[in-house]
Amino acid sequence: KAGVTQTPRYLIKTRGQQVTLSCSPISGHRSVSWYQQTPGQGLQFLFEYFSETQRNKGNFPGRFSGRQFSNSRSEMNVSTLELGDSALYLCASSLVQGEGKLFFGSGTQLSVL
Amino acid sequence: KNEVEQSPQNLTAQEGEFITINCSYSVGISALHWLQQHPGGGIVSLFMLSSGKKKHGRLIATINIQEKHSSLHITASHPRDSAVYICAAAGGGADGLTFGKGTHLIIQP
């Protein structure tokens, strides 16, 4: 059974650009959540999607958005990139919304220059 | 807002020692997760618990709901246990998970 797949693995962008990251959950998992990890702030929750609907959102500006498709694959988008957006972005999938064991992808390392 | 505190921040021990990592939170929660992160970023979920105790191999996780405290124990520690261990609280009035800062564990042979 394939795990959670995140693409791309690495990304370099410049300030002001926008970026889209992709996450394919484990087959059958309908919940996808996104996290930002930085050396200073650690792991922080971005948002969670279940059945194509955003169920929860963390304390991040509106530049951070996401969506989930009917096949449960999810994308997150960051517009007008800032230097502080440089981070490891992780997604996780689970069978049920808001609870249940989480299965993490390997993450996308985003560098903003 | 839930505050999640972990201790210690760093821990170096010898192979075979019994390891305890602590996690406390400020607001009642629905569940607590223990995660393991190896260098390179990959995160593995070790436990999710809402009460009592869970055991998997050499790992044991306990939670005391009244005291708002959880512990992760590693018995007969091994160098391959070297990693960052992170606790994360679900619920407690917050959307999504609230994470502790992590405990950086090094087990020396």
Side-chain angles (χ1 to χ4, degrees):
Chain A
K1 196 174 188 182
V4 178
T5 304
Q6 287 189 248
T7 55
R9 186 72 179 90
Y10 301 95
L11 206 48
I12 300 174
K13 292 286 187 179
T14 56
R15 280 181 300 172
Q17 288 186 309
Q18 75 164 15
V19 66
T20 299
L21 312 181
S22 179
C23 174
S24 294
I26 290 172
S27 178
H29 285 194
R30 296 169 63 193
S31 174
V32 174
S33 50
W34 288 89
Y35 306 89
Q36 182 195 66
Q37 186 175 35
T38 60
Q41 297 296 320
L43 274 163
Q44 294 181 278
F45 169 75
L46 279 159
F47 26 66
E48 179 186 15
Y49 287 86
F50 183 82
S51 294
E52 303 178 63
T53 302
Q54 188 180 91
R55 304 292 177 159
N56 286 302
K57 189 177 194 303
N59 189 26
F60 278 82
R63 300 185 297 106
F64 292 81
S65 63
R67 58 178 175 169
Q68 186 180 35
F69 302 95
S70 58
N71 62 357
S72 294
R73 189 178 72 85
S74 178
E75 289 181 346
M76 69 162 280
N77 184 278
V78 187
S79 62
T80 320
L81 284 166
E82 300 177 359
L83 295 178
D85 297 333
S86 295
L88 179 67
Y89 290 89
L90 292 150
C91 78
S93 73
S94 65
L95 272 172
V96 294
Q97 176 205 340
E99 58 186 69
K101 183 174 180 177
L102 295 172
F103 294 82
F104 285 83
S106 298
T108 295
Q109 184 67 55
L110 172 65
S111 297
V112 182
L113 307 178
Chain B
K1 180 185 174 185
N2 208 353
E3 303 288 340
V4 178
E5 300 287 338
Q6 270 187 252
S7 63
Q9 281 189 303
N10 297 284
L11 179 57
T12 300
Q14 295 298 121
E15 183 174 357
E17 286 189 37
F18 182 82
I19 304 297
T20 296
I21 299 171
N22 296 299
C23 177
S24 62
Y25 48 92
S26 58
V27 180
I29 60 173
S30 57
L32 188 119
H33 297 255
W34 280 102
L35 310 172
Q36 179 192 57
Q37 185 171 32
H38 281 283
I43 294 180
V44 173
S45 174
L46 299 174
F47 297 101
M48 187 193 72
L49 63 166
S50 54
S51 65
K53 175 180 175 179
K54 287 190 176 181
K55 184 176 188 293
H56 185 257
R58 295 180 294 105
L59 301 178
I60 303 166
T62 64
I63 190 167
N64 185 316
I65 299 297
Q66 287 72 32
E67 295 189 1
K68 298 185 178 61
H69 181 269
S70 177
S71 293
L72 176 69
H73 306 285
I74 304 174
T75 62
S77 59
H78 189 276
R80 65 175 174 265
D81 297 326
S82 298
V84 177
Y85 293 84
I86 303 165
C87 68
D95 291 333
L97 294 178
T98 304
F99 295 88
K101 293 293 187 188
T103 295
H104 189 191
L105 175 66
I106 297 173
I107 304 297
Q108 295 178 334

